Amino acid sequence: MTNITETELEEVLDAYRHIGTLKSKIPYGNGHINNTFLLTYEIPDGQEKRIILQEMNREVFKQPKELMENIIGVTSYLRGKIIENGGDPERETLNVVPADDGENYYVDSRGEYWRAYLFIEDATCYEQVETKEDFYQSALAFGNFQHLLAGYPAETLHETIPQFHDTRKRFNDFLRAVDEDKLGRVVHVRDEIDFVMKREGDADVFGDMLKRKELPLRVTHNDTKLNNIMIDNATRKGICVIDLDTVMPGLAMNDFGDSIRFGANTAAEDETDLSKVSSNLELFEVYVEGFLKGCQGSLTQTEIRLLPMGAKVMTYECGIRFLTDYLEGDHYFRIHRENHNLDRARTQFKLIEDMEAKWGEMEAIVRKAANK
Ligand code: ADP
Ligand code: GN1
Ligand code: MG
């Protein structure tokens, strides 16, 4: 990710002049990966039009053209489904706005890739759950997203980040970072390293089952944080799933699990007071109910049984990724303060301890919801 100057941004804005007269531009959102701006234009009829402009993170997404092919493929497919169901395709999926030259992305003179989306109006991205009902609606929407994409030709999707949720690979990358200790930070995180090492077995649970063909690969979102869904301000429904950069073949439990990791946390992902961090079982329960309903009976018994494991594995993997990035000098996740990735890793490990203490209850909640 690069820091862009005003002149560099001007060049990009110049490539989208057909939208209207630019009134304002502000950095936007709390994503850790892309560089996002909210643009407000005046259009010929005198009205305002808002656009999301993003610089794609090229350290993370090495093949931006292929990434955009995925986005266009998936959003066109969803558009068809939304129209079939009588929905509003301008609000219920992302819509790429082409540049002046008609391309779906713009490459600036530094070689950085940009894209624009219609801004989804009258809807909100939450950083933390405010009501149980909102969380239920987000579960319904993420479950339904997976259900809607069940017929998508998975073989046409590019793998935008190879082995994205291969937890064993993440574990091995972590071991390498510890071994190399490029910044001499290992000495500060001995306890965290021990924590990860003790749970090494969790890195292989899903990978081993996949090898034994006990789990189906589905077209999944793979980044199902609460702030990757827009909740309609009026109806309070999960109106649109956004951040489609990682839509790839994956596991249902991981989509479920990443939502629990982030949304059922009683504190922020980067909370430094760990006494505030726990996994809320009431939120876990509503999410299980919403997700099963959204998937509309498509999950196998094995997948359902493994939902708690999905929550644990996603939290473990994410904790490992934050800690690895801390050890390697914070080049992957955007940070806003010193030790930010370490703080994020610590919240993940606290969540795991809490889930381990609540394991029986989590399994009972899933059994109850599955038998309803
Ligand atoms: P990142 O990969 O960095 O997380 P996202 O695509 O999730 O990037 O975008 C960052 C934030 O920008 C989102 O969390 C959301 O708040 C906002 N955002 C992104 N796309 C839209 C959109 N089409 N309409 C409204 N807000 C959006
Ligand atoms: C990143 O892009 P964003 O902020 O929605 C990351 C996820 C992590 C998450 C942790 C492409 O999500 O995998 O779980 O941060 N996305 C990518 O908050 O690596
Ligand atoms: Mg995001």
Side-chain angles (χ1 to χ4, degrees):
M1 190 85 305
T2 53
N3 284 323
I4 20 171
T5 64
E6 197 61 20
T7 325
E8 286 161 350
L9 186 57
E10 285 303 326
E11 178 202 337
V12 182
L13 295 172
D14 214 38
Y16 284 89
R17 269 191 306 195
H18 73 97
I19 299 172
T21 310
L22 186 66
K23 293 285 162 202
S24 69
K25 52 177 193 301
I26 50 167
Y28 194 73
N30 290 300
H32 295 338
I33 302 296
N34 295 305
N35 214 349
T36 305
F37 296 86
L38 171 60
L39 310 179
T40 306
Y41 289 89
E42 189 179 307
I43 54 176
D45 62 6
Q47 290 194 332
E48 273 193 354
K49 181 167 179 158
R50 298 206 285 176
I51 297 286
I52 285 284
L53 178 72
Q54 280 184 329
E55 181 189 18
M56 291 175 251
N57 185 326
R58 283 236 284 147
E59 170 159 2
V60 172
F61 301 108
K62 311 274 189 220
Q63 297 182 302
K65 283 183 199 158
E66 281 78 1
L67 166 63
M68 286 312 287
E69 265 175 47
N70 278 8
I71 302 271
I72 297 294
V74 168
T75 54
S76 312
Y77 184 87
L78 289 172
R79 196 180 173 82
K81 295 273 174 193
I82 293 162
I83 293 170
E84 256 172 47
N85 297 334
D88 176 355
E90 300 230 317
R91 290 190 77 229
E92 295 175 30
T93 186
L94 288 175
N95 286 267
V96 174
V97 179
D100 292 350
D101 62 4
E103 291 289 343
N104 288 317
Y105 55 87
Y106 175 73
V107 190
D108 70 16
S109 49
R110 297 170 305 150
E112 297 298 327
Y113 283 67
W114 296 77
R115 65 182 167 207
Y117 291 125
L118 291 182
F119 183 83
I120 297 157
E121 298 287 350
D122 307 314
T124 306
C125 264
Y126 290 93
E127 294 302 320
Q128 260 184 279
V129 170
E130 290 183 2
T131 70
K132 264 192 344 187
E133 181 57 25
D134 281 353
F135 200 44
Y136 175 80
Q137 293 299 334
S138 75
L140 208 55
F142 275 127
N144 189 48
F145 180 83
Q146 201 168 104
H147 178 71
L148 283 179
L149 288 176
Y152 191 82
E155 68 286 355
T156 64
L157 281 172
H158 304 284
E159 207 179 0
T160 53
I161 303 177
Q163 298 178 283
F164 187 53
H165 283 319
D166 179 340
T167 314
R168 166 50 61 179
K169 178 203 183 274
R170 300 294 191 177
F171 185 90
N172 291 342
D173 289 350
F174 159 78
L175 287 185
R176 200 179 46 243
V178 173
D179 198 40
E180 291 176 355
D181 193 17
K182 282 188 191 141
L183 287 105
R185 289 180 169 179
V186 161
V187 59
H188 305 302
V189 291
R190 294 266 179 227
D191 290 349
E192 287 76 11
I193 293 172
D194 279 354
F195 186 97
V196 172
M197 298 307 291
K198 278 200 188 106
R199 289 161 181 78
E200 179 173 356
D202 290 341
D204 294 317
V205 179
F206 292 157
D208 286 351
M209 291 184 78
L210 266 172
K211 277 186 213 135
R212 296 196 298 265
K213 301 208 182 329
E214 290 167 10
L215 296 172
L217 272 182
R218 302 176 182 279
V219 176
T220 49
H221 183 278
N222 296 306
D223 189 2
T224 51
K225 294 205 286 199
L226 188 67
N227 66 11
N228 285 332
I229 193 150
M230 313 256 352
I231 307 268
D232 187 294
N233 294 342
T235 65
R236 310 297 301 183
K237 304 261 187 260
I239 186 93
C240 184
V241 173
I242 62 170
D243 202 346
L244 303 178
D245 297 335
T246 51
V247 173
M248 288 181 279
L251 298 175
M253 296 84 70
N254 288 346
D255 270 9
F256 169 86
D258 202 42
S259 292
I260 298 299
R261 174 189 78 72
F262 189 88
N265 184 354
T266 49
E269 191 183 57
D270 58 358
E271 175 60 60
T272 50
D273 178 355
L274 291 181
S275 69
K276 292 185 182 155
V277 176
S278 66
S279 189
N280 180 319
L281 284 184
E282 273 184 71
L283 291 178
F284 179 80
E285 181 161 19
V286 294
Y287 201 92
V288 171
E289 284 168 5
F291 193 73
L292 289 180
K293 183 134 191 256
C295 289
Q296 299 187 36
S298 55
L299 300 190
T300 65
Q301 288 306 312
T302 307
E303 288 176 301
I304 295 174
R305 179 173 57 77
L306 289 170
L307 291 179
M309 200 49 164
K312 187 176 179 197
V313 168
M314 275 299 95
T315 311
Y316 181 59
E317 182 187 287
C318 198
I320 290 178
R321 291 172 63 199
F322 287 144
L323 189 56
T324 305
D325 202 29
Y326 167 79
L327 292 172
E328 289 179 341
D330 309 299
H331 61 85
Y332 187 97
F333 297 103
R334 183 179 300 118
I335 56 164
H336 305 288
R337 58 177 192 245
E338 213 185 323
N339 292 344
H340 207 166
N341 275 317
L342 176 56
D343 294 339
R344 289 168 177 154
R346 286 182 170 146
T347 60
Q348 304 309 298
F349 299 152
K350 174 73 197 296
L351 281 174
I352 292 174
E353 272 176 355
D354 193 48
M355 287 179 198
E356 286 171 351
K358 293 171 174 166
W359 199 249
E361 286 166 276
M362 286 166 69
E363 289 192 325
I365 288 168
V366 169
R367 273 197 303 275
K368 188 174 126 206
N371 293 327
K372 260 190 185 166

